[in-house]
Amino acid sequence: MSSVSLLAFAAVLLFLPKSQGCSLTEDWRPVSYRQRLVQAEIVVHAKVLNKTETPGYEDMWPHTYAGLFEVYCVLKGGPLQYNITVVEIGGPTTCSRTEVDVGEEYILLLTRKEDGVLAPHEVNTQTAVIPATQDNLDMVALTCGLQNFTLPLGSPGNLPEQRGCPTHPNESGEQCVYVGMASHVVMSTTLSLMAALLSCAFGLLEVAL
C-alpha cells in the first residue's frame, strides 16, 4: 500500500463515527497489507456465502453478524475446513469497520477465540478484510514469512485455477518481499537525495567564495 493510500485511510478513519468503546491513541498510524498479513494468526482467501446472527449478539443484528465462507486457499494458520463460519464481523466495539458482502471474495485475517471459534483479526485496529483482487493475491503470494499455502480440508479436487492457491515463492523460485522493504527503499532514496543536495550546496558555496 502506498504512503498516499495509508494517509487517505487514516483520514477516512478520523471522520467515521466511532462505535462505543472505540479509542485510538494519538500516535496510531496505519500499516501496510503485508505487515498485517505477517502479524495475523490466520489468513485465507475465501468467498462470502451467507450472513447470519452472531450468537450472543442477536440484539446487534444486522450490524454485527457471522459470515459463512467458502475457503479457496489457506494462506497461513491451517489446516481449516472448506466451509468456515466467522463470528463478530462488524464488531460491537470496533474502530476499523470489518465488513463483508455476500458473493464477494476477500483475503481474510482471522484469529481463533478461546472456544475455538474464528473471528476477525483486526491487526493494528485495521479492517480484517482485504479485497481479493489479482494484484492483492499476487502481493500475498510474494510476502515473506508466510508458510506454504494449502487447500482447505474437504475441498473439491477439481477447483478452477483462480480458486486454488497461488504459487508460493518456494515453488516458483521468485524472491519474496520482506515486510518493511519498501520503507527501507524510500529511506535510502531520501538519504541519497539529501546527500546530493548538500553536495550541491557546498559546491555553490565554494564558487561564491
Side-chain angles (χ1 to χ4, degrees):
M1 181 184 288
S2 67
S3 58
V4 174
S5 299
L6 290 175
L7 291 173
F9 178 80
V12 170
L13 280 179
L14 290 175
F15 291 97
L16 279 175
K18 300 293 190 295
S19 299
Q20 182 180 3
C22 169
S23 177
L24 293 174
T25 60
E26 292 184 359
D27 60 349
W28 180 90
R29 296 292 184 275
V31 298
S32 69
Y33 285 159
R34 277 199 167 98
Q35 289 172 301
R36 287 149 59 197
L37 288 168
V38 170
Q39 295 180 53
E41 179 182 349
I42 300 167
V43 182
V44 300
H45 172 205
K47 179 180 179 179
V48 187
L49 300 179
N50 194 17
K51 297 196 289 189
T52 60
E53 297 178 357
T54 287
Y57 294 99
E58 291 86 356
D59 59 333
M60 302 191 72
W61 166 264
H63 304 293
T64 300
Y65 50 90
L68 175 63
F69 293 85
E70 178 183 3
V71 178
Y72 295 154
C73 181
V74 182
L75 301 162
K76 181 182 180 182
L80 290 177
Q81 294 294 325
Y82 182 54
N83 287 328
I84 60 172
T85 297
V86 180
V87 302
E88 299 178 20
I89 301 175
T93 59
T94 181
C95 296
S96 55
R97 298 292 191 275
T98 292
E99 298 283 359
V100 297
D101 294 318
V102 174
E104 295 297 321
E105 296 180 23
Y106 299 94
I107 300 167
L108 297 170
L109 281 58
L110 306 174
T111 186
R112 198 179 293 277
K113 296 164 64 71
E114 292 181 0
D115 56 4
V117 176
L118 296 172
H121 191 174
E122 296 183 336
V123 175
N124 192 49
T125 322
Q126 290 178 248
T127 179
V129 296
I130 299 172
T133 63
Q134 189 58 55
D135 285 345
N136 285 339
L137 290 171
D138 291 342
M139 175 269 297
V140 173
L142 291 177
T143 298
C144 297
L146 301 183
Q147 299 177 351
N148 291 338
F149 311 140
T150 58
L151 293 174
L153 302 176
S155 63
N158 57 344
L159 280 175
E161 183 177 352
Q162 67 271 24
R163 294 189 177 182
C165 288
T167 303
H168 196 278
N170 291 347
E171 301 173 2
S172 67
E174 295 185 72
Q175 181 66 42
C176 66
V177 178
Y178 286 96
V179 170
M181 179 176 289
S183 298
H184 295 161
V185 171
V186 171
M187 180 62 72
S188 177
T189 302
T190 302
L191 292 175
S192 297
L193 179 59
M194 290 176 63
L197 290 173
L198 286 173
S199 178
C200 181
F202 282 125
L204 291 174
L205 183 60
E206 291 177 356
V207 171
L209 294 176

